Amino acid sequence: MQAPTMRRRRTAAIGAGLGVAALALSACGTSGGGSAATGPATELGDTDGGSVSILAWPGYVEDGTNDPAVDWVTPFEEATGCSVTSQTYGTSDEAFNLMGDGGFDVVAASGDLTLRLIASETVQELNTDLLESYDAIFDFLKEQEWNSVDGAVYGIPHGYGANLLAYNTDVFPEAPTSWSVVFEDAAANTGGITAYDSPIYIADAAMYLMATEPDLGIENPYSLDEEQLAAAVDLLTVQREHIGEYWSDYLIEVQGLEAGSMVAGTTWQVIINSLSEGTPVAATLPEEGVTGWSDSWMISSATEQTACAYAWLDWIASPEGNAMATEYFGEAPNNIEACDFASEGHCEAYHAGDEEYASQIWYWTTPIAECLDGRTDVECTDYAAWTEAWQQIQG
């Protein structure tokens, strides 16, 4: 997920698979290190005079440098006495490697990264009793398979969003009801189809097959055995013939949608909101559901700045801090109280707190060998296998 100026569940089965996952993930060149903490913090020291080094997506740690009116770092520094330094990254693989190199106290991680960080012992278990803001976070974001393992919490939810279907309203006068327009029916608009450029996009194909090919037995689009992964790869390989351009930088899709060269494909609500007035493009949530993200704030297992790290997590999850950060990026906040600090209409536009809407989102989750859907009679494909498959699809 990448946006420079904006932008269900099964934990018990994951724990035993993380050792396998750590080995498997290193096979794709993304092994990382960390001095594992012996357990979650039990108490915090004074923050005054401390510091916190943060690795995050662009737009997650704004200190007024990019826009003097956009600054939630300075209020944090003034309130806590912690000084903040930050670095942005462009892909989850890059973030994994940077965290493995060390030097960061806190990382904002998407669901295709979180379990890799946990498996490599790069991040530590958290004590949510030390976070005043935690209780107010939406329950449907807490203790999920992408931020927790076997009841142990490793990530604090930031915000969330859906990977919607964008469509050109001149080409589609009525909103498409199915993702078939970018899969089985893509030939009708060959060259005008677009998709998110990442191995995690395989889950979008798996989600579609889950609804349209029930005999495959897919129950979780991030939990695919070899046969199920092969079916998703086949579908995406056919789709590739009709793709005009993949995107990971949101500006690429904005340009394509405005120019009319992209007529259907994956999008974010913030991209739709950013289009020039009059652009004949809208977005919809198809009947098969959507994938999406709920990024997590995590603390390095090697940090020596525990107090300031916890203080940052508490601030960025607070109603005021979270409202500023999620509205700037373009996603729903993690708690309903944040809506009191957000601009009028923001929470409605992003369906904040709408559990029915949220239940249709399959949030990005790192594929691991231990099947996330609970199967024990088969080994599932891990992130390394998905990366290799994505390279195969790309040709």
Side-chain angles (χ1 to χ4, degrees):
M1 181 175 44
Q2 189 174 7
T5 58
M6 339 162 238
R7 185 165 173 137
R8 155 185 194 193
R9 168 178 198 166
R10 192 177 189 93
T11 57
I14 302 175
L18 283 178
V20 176
L23 294 174
L25 291 168
S26 66
C28 66
T30 55
S31 61
S35 301
T38 56
T42 56
E43 60 182 7
L44 301 174
D46 187 15
T47 59
D48 193 34
S51 64
V52 60
S53 177
I54 304 171
L55 181 65
W57 289 109
Y60 271 26
V61 186
E62 291 295 315
D63 61 3
T65 301
N66 293 321
D67 182 343
V70 179
D71 181 1
W72 50 90
V73 169
T74 300
F76 167 77
E77 291 179 322
E78 293 175 345
T80 64
C82 300
S83 62
V84 174
T85 57
S86 66
Q87 180 176 329
T88 61
Y89 63 87
T91 69
S92 290
D93 286 347
E94 179 187 357
F96 187 84
N97 291 328
L98 287 169
M99 285 299 294
D101 291 341
F104 297 100
D105 303 302
V106 169
V107 60
S110 292
D112 58 340
L113 171 61
T114 50
L115 293 188
R116 289 190 274 168
L117 293 172
I118 297 169
S120 60
E121 299 184 341
T122 305
V123 294
Q124 62 178 267
E125 182 183 348
L126 301 174
N127 182 350
T128 58
D129 289 340
L130 300 177
L131 297 167
E132 183 178 341
S133 300
Y134 190 74
D135 286 347
I137 295 173
F138 297 128
D139 287 340
F140 59 81
L141 297 179
K142 293 189 290 190
E143 297 182 36
Q144 300 295 331
E145 61 191 9
W146 59 88
N147 57 32
S148 303
V149 174
D150 241 359
V153 175
Y154 287 84
I156 302 304
H158 176 66
Y160 65 100
N163 297 317
L164 301 168
L165 171 60
Y167 64 96
N168 185 296
T169 56
D170 290 339
V171 177
F172 300 95
E174 296 185 6
T177 59
S178 170
W179 285 104
S180 62
V181 297
V182 300
F183 290 124
E184 295 172 346
D185 302 326
N189 293 286
T190 190
I193 304 301
T194 188
Y196 189 61
D197 190 2
S198 169
I200 207 68
Y201 181 66
I202 291 172
D204 291 64
M207 179 189 66
Y208 178 71
L209 292 171
M210 185 166 59
T212 59
E213 299 288 344
D215 289 346
L216 286 170
I218 299 174
E219 296 185 2
N220 181 322
Y222 303 100
S223 184
L224 307 179
D225 59 36
E226 290 187 1
E227 180 183 355
Q228 293 166 338
L229 177 62
V233 169
D234 287 345
L235 182 63
L236 292 169
T237 301
V238 173
Q239 184 199 54
R240 177 71 183 89
E241 301 174 9
H242 308 295
I243 294 284
E245 187 173 11
Y246 291 98
W247 66 274
S248 56
D249 183 338
Y250 85 102
L251 289 174
I252 297 297
E253 188 176 41
V254 168
Q255 293 166 1
L257 293 174
E258 290 183 342
S261 59
M262 297 178 179
V263 300
T266 321
T267 197
W268 301 331
Q269 186 62 52
V270 70
I271 291 175
I272 301 301
N273 294 352
S274 301
L275 297 175
S276 299
E277 185 176 354
T279 302
V281 172
T284 188
L285 195 160
E287 60 192 8
E288 297 91 0
V290 292
T291 61
W293 72 89
S294 172
D295 291 348
S296 302
W297 290 99
M298 312 180 89
I299 297 179
S300 168
S301 57
T303 185
E304 296 180 357
Q305 296 288 337
T306 303
C308 283
Y310 265 84
W312 175 262
L313 265 60
D314 213 18
W315 162 245
I316 204 65
S318 70
E320 184 177 2
N322 197 250
M324 288 190 282
T326 55
E327 180 169 354
Y328 180 71
F329 188 83
E331 58 189 328
N334 69 6
N335 69 89
I336 199 64
E337 295 173 19
C339 296
D340 293 336
F341 295 91
S343 298
E344 184 177 355
H346 173 77
C347 284
E348 291 77 12
Y350 291 91
H351 304 274
D354 185 339
E355 291 194 45
E356 182 179 354
Y357 183 90
S359 70
Q360 300 177 73
I361 303 174
W362 288 93
Y363 296 96
W364 284 346
T365 305
T366 312
I368 60 175
E370 187 81 7
C371 295
L372 298 172
D373 58 14
R375 286 179 292 169
T376 57
D377 60 341
V378 66
E379 184 174 283
C380 280
T381 53
D382 59 18
Y383 190 78
W386 282 42
T387 299
E388 182 178 350
W390 187 246
Q391 293 169 346
Q392 173 188 331
I393 293 162
Q394 297 269 295

